Amino acid sequence: RAQKERQLEQAIESHRLIGHAVGVLIERHRITPQQSFEMLRQASLNRNVKLRELAARVVESGLDPDKA
């Protein structure tokens, strides 16, 4: 049970972090949430970096996903 709770907390934190990065991209580029999530997803796939890790870089650095 404790392990499931930790996994759920980690999933919620990842979701929040990705949402925050999407918000940063929406504000910067004036694009839709779908477009900004796709930017993150494509950069994650192209660079072989986990989505949540890339989202953290975007939030911390302020760079676009392809440069973060």
Side-chain angles (χ1 to χ4, degrees), residues 14-59:
S14 292
H15 182 72
R16 286 184 184 145
L17 187 59
I18 293 168
H20 192 107
V22 164
V24 167
L25 295 173
I26 289 170
E27 276 299 309
R28 180 177 305 138
H29 297 287
R30 302 292 184 202
I31 56 178
T32 67
Q34 294 82 8
Q35 290 170 318
S36 54
F37 180 78
E38 187 60 26
M39 279 178 74
L40 280 172
R41 193 180 75 76
Q42 280 300 320
S44 172
L45 290 172
N46 292 343
R47 297 176 62 202
N48 198 26
V49 176
K50 289 183 179 181
L51 188 59
R52 69 174 175 243
E53 189 176 314
L54 187 59
R57 291 179 189 177
V58 168
V59 171

